Amino acid sequence: MTPDTLLHRLAAFVLRSGIRLAPAEAREWGNAMLGELQHIEGNWAAVAWALGGAGVLAKHALVALLLPGRNRQSAPMGNPLVREAKMHKASVITGGACLAAVLLFFLAPVFRQGFRVSLAQWQSVINVGESLFYPQKGLESLARRVEKRHDAEGMAFVAARLNNRDESVRLANEAVRLDPKLIWIWGVVGWHFSGASGVPARIKKLEQSDPGNALPCLILAQRADMEHSVVAGGGNTLPPASPSAAWLEAMAGAFSSTRIDDYTGRLRALARTVARRYGLNDPYFVVEMWNGFYLPGQMGLDSTRYAMLIIKSGEALEARGDTKGAIEKYLQVAHFVRMFESHDTYQPFFDALMPVAYRRLAAVYTKMGNGPQSAYFAGLARTAEHKMEQHLLQWRSEMENQGSIFGITAWNQWSWKLQTLRCWRRSACC
Amino acid sequence: MTMKSIRLSPQTLQVLDRFSQQPTRWRYGYELSRETGLKSGTLYPILMRLAKHELLETRWEQTEEGVPPRHTYRLTAKGVELVQSERVRARKPLATHKPATAGGRA
């Protein structure tokens, strides 16, 4: 008899549990497997034996549960192998029925939505075909429907999502023509396609209808950058060495703005309305494509460049003894950066800028002999530096733990790539 | 259904082959598992089916004091007849013997 080890006892427990669950006619066989267990020497071999046996008993328990009236003892006499063939057929039928049941799930819109969402995290790993976000073919067909109905909101909805620049701009213009309250859609289409013709004139109109918002100015600055950018080696575009007058004017406007509204709230409300109106089941028609980033791509770079120009001019004023003028310059930078404090998505772009402005202010007040003001700004600088460190740590941690911005873990990526490699090797071999 | 239409799984053939080598000998489940290389989850459903169709007879055997009795098996006359008819039909051994490598004692 084998030693009474923990794993042997566990194996016996598993089998006894199986025997308890099993129907009467299968219990004898469960006891038979239990009797053999005492003669298996290896611990893991005993566990494997018990698991296999428990699986057999569980299968009998399940059959007895699903077919309670079935008389297991009255199997037809004759060749058992005939019965085996029948069982095989039954397995195929059951498997087919299960598959059909699974496919039926796809008839439910909620299931299809959930399934598509579950695929999204693999998008950056598989990286094949059309993006899951904003399926363009579906949008083109939706564009035809909204135009037929002269639906301004529908046009704005499609314009914000189409990749086709000309079509997007045309639909946005038509939407604003039908409903002037939708003028904000120019802000969305404008930053997406800031190089399109007619953008400056429309953004100027938007600026007039939404005074104090920095977004139109940032779009115009990006446009000016694009017009004067320099193509460097490797096809990369760099901002011009000396800023253009149009860019300076636009950035001055942005830095004297009182707020920043990227129209995310309006976009979400529009998506809800249009999705309900047209019964849109595809989640990627309405989901936010840009992960909540609805400002011109050059915004961070432009703002930093312009802020450094202001700080330099403040330093020049300081050198000339105009401390009041210098303070105004530094405060202008601090004020601009503070506009983004409530926007977690954009705040990290200015992490490095804020401490610089506050440190300059603290230094000026020290020079002026104003200790309390100096200490106040020095404290703000420390807080800003701490925040910057926190963002940096968070970013590093995300990069270490995640394979992509969509949240694929490194393990999942690795396993997927391994599977792909195996499939590829198999197809190469055969 | 004729014998030609019967589907014989390789595992069932292996088990029948082991029994047919010494038809009168009583065998233990674990012993069969080692000799055929079949896991308990595969072997016992086969034994259960063969027993249900009276191709296999079973009995309990008390080996040691304080140790649960063991279930033992051997082919019935009907079982021997089936194996022989299958051999004639195939004109070759029912299955290739595959010794198991697991440790333990039967």
Side-chain angles (χ1 to χ4, degrees):
Chain A
M1 193 177 163
T2 55
D4 185 25
T5 64
L6 184 67
L7 282 175
H8 257 87
R9 269 182 282 160
L10 177 72
F13 172 77
V14 168
L15 260 180
R16 281 198 194 96
S17 305
I19 293 167
R20 269 197 293 275
L21 285 174
E25 71 270 15
R27 279 188 198 138
E28 187 190 6
W29 290 94
N31 285 321
M33 288 182 257
L34 189 64
E36 292 304 294
L37 191 65
Q38 307 297 320
H39 302 272
I40 300 172
E41 279 179 350
N43 282 332
W44 291 110
V47 172
W49 178 269
L51 287 174
V56 173
L57 298 171
K59 223 179 319 183
H60 278 266
L62 191 67
V63 170
L65 190 74
L66 295 174
L67 304 164
R70 186 172 172 178
N71 185 355
R72 307 284 296 165
Q73 300 294 346
S74 61
M77 298 302 286
N79 199 311
L81 305 167
V82 174
R83 180 141 183 81
E84 201 170 84
K86 281 182 183 168
M87 285 295 284
H88 179 67
K89 194 178 171 188
S91 306
V92 170
I93 291 167
T94 311
C98 289
L99 186 68
V102 167
L103 292 175
L104 278 176
F105 274 104
F106 282 91
L107 291 179
V110 174
F111 184 84
R112 287 203 303 273
Q113 286 178 356
F115 187 72
R116 290 210 64 179
V117 171
S118 72
L119 289 180
Q121 58 180 327
W122 294 103
Q123 181 65 20
S124 59
V125 182
I126 305 166
N127 202 22
V128 288
E130 190 193 29
S131 167
L132 277 169
F133 295 97
Y134 298 164
Q136 295 297 304
K137 279 180 188 164
L139 278 173
E140 282 162 16
S141 115
L142 182 62
R144 285 192 290 274
R145 285 171 69 193
V146 297
E147 280 202 277
K148 211 172 177 181
R149 289 171 63 165
H150 301 287
D151 179 357
E153 285 180 319
M155 289 178 197
F157 174 87
V158 177
R161 288 160 172 77
L162 270 183
N163 288 341
N164 183 325
R165 186 179 77 171
D166 295 340
E167 195 58 12
S168 173
V169 171
R170 187 186 69 78
L171 282 170
N173 292 344
E174 186 61 11
V176 178
R177 191 186 67 78
L178 289 171
D179 182 358
K181 277 186 287 189
L182 288 170
I183 192 168
W184 60 269
I185 201 66
W186 279 345
V188 177
V189 174
W191 79 255
H192 197 176
F193 302 116
S194 53
S197 63
V199 163
R202 290 188 191 97
I203 297 299
K204 287 273 182 200
K205 277 188 187 170
L206 173 64
E207 206 176 353
Q208 285 161 13
S209 75
D210 190 8
N213 187 5
L215 177 66
C217 301
L218 290 169
I219 294 171
L220 291 173
Q222 177 163 298
R223 165 89 180 195
D225 246 357
M226 285 172 74
E227 283 172 350
H228 298 94
S229 59
V230 180
V231 179
N236 296 323
T237 52
L238 296 173
S242 55
S244 65
W247 183 83
L248 284 170
E249 189 193 339
M251 287 313 296
F255 271 68
S256 56
S257 300
T258 52
R259 65 195 166 82
I260 177 79
D261 182 0
D262 58 4
Y263 303 126
T264 314
R266 296 187 204 202
L267 268 173
R268 284 177 189 157
L270 182 73
R272 278 195 293 273
T273 309
V274 175
R276 269 200 296 267
R277 191 175 296 160
Y278 291 92
L280 301 178
N281 289 323
D282 190 334
Y284 294 107
F285 273 133
V286 286
V287 80
E288 284 174 27
M289 185 182 183
W290 309 104
N291 280 339
F293 194 97
Y294 280 90
L295 285 181
Q298 291 285 337
M299 179 268 300
L301 185 63
D302 280 342
S303 304
T304 307
R305 276 169 63 208
Y306 191 74
M308 294 318 289
L309 286 177
I310 296 179
I311 286 170
K312 271 185 188 165
S313 69
E315 284 169 348
L317 289 171
E318 246 186 288
R320 289 204 298 270
D322 183 1
T323 49
K324 200 178 167 190
I327 287 170
E328 272 177 24
K329 293 284 179 189
Y330 302 144
L331 280 176
Q332 197 183 0
V333 174
H335 161 74
F336 179 79
V337 177
R338 267 211 306 270
M339 284 200 309
F340 293 88
E341 268 182 343
S342 57
H343 298 262
D344 287 344
T345 317
Y346 311 128
Q347 180 63 28
F349 285 94
F350 308 108
D351 273 348
L353 215 50
M354 198 61 140
V356 175
Y358 285 145
R359 288 270 172 226
R360 291 308 316 158
L361 282 163
V364 174
Y365 279 112
T366 305
K367 267 188 201 170
M368 290 166 70
N370 188 340
Q373 280 290 356
S374 175
Y376 171 71
F377 282 111
L380 287 178
R382 277 196 298 278
T383 308
E385 279 161 358
H386 177 68
K387 207 183 232 180
M388 182 171 72
E389 282 165 18
Q390 291 294 314
H391 282 147
L392 200 64
L393 282 174
Q394 190 185 338
W395 179 76
R396 275 189 191 149
S397 154
E398 280 170 10
M399 291 306 285
E400 279 167 14
N401 295 326
Q402 296 184 349
S404 77
I405 57 167
F406 291 104
I408 294 275
T409 62
W411 166 253
N412 282 346
Q413 276 204 40
W414 181 83
S415 63
W416 175 267
K417 283 172 183 169
L418 190 70
Q419 285 293 322
T420 314
L421 185 70
R422 282 179 61 193
C423 292
W424 177 79
R425 281 191 63 188
R426 203 176 297 152
S427 61
C429 289
C430 308
Chain B
M1 190 179 284
T2 61
M3 287 296 279
K4 278 189 178 179
S5 64
I6 294 167
R7 193 182 71 88
L8 290 163
S9 78
Q11 292 85 357
T12 308
L13 288 173
Q14 262 182 289
V15 174
L16 288 173
D17 188 47
R18 292 311 301 168
F19 277 117
S20 68
Q21 285 175 8
Q22 290 172 287
T24 53
R25 195 184 139 203
W26 289 92
R27 288 173 177 275
Y28 301 116
Y30 185 52
E31 177 193 3
L32 283 166
S33 170
R34 285 177 63 204
E35 289 174 355
T36 57
L38 297 176
K39 308 286 180 202
S40 58
T42 310
L43 174 69
Y44 275 88
I46 293 169
L47 295 178
M48 289 160 89
R49 264 201 310 277
L50 294 176
K52 189 184 282 177
H53 292 87
E54 296 172 2
L55 297 167
L56 208 64
E57 58 181 313
T58 67
R59 74 170 188 196
W60 287 98
E61 182 185 294
Q62 188 69 50
T63 49
E64 294 171 53
E65 192 75 19
V67 174
R70 298 182 78 175
H71 214 208
T72 58
Y73 321 97
R74 75 174 181 188
L75 286 179
T76 60
K78 194 177 161 189
V80 174
E81 193 185 325
L82 173 78
V83 170
Q84 281 169 352
S85 65
E86 277 301 305
R87 274 207 170 133
V88 169
R89 192 178 68 82
R91 292 181 188 281
K92 62 179 180 181
L94 282 176
T96 309
H97 171 55
K98 181 188 169 192
T101 51
R105 61 174 191 253

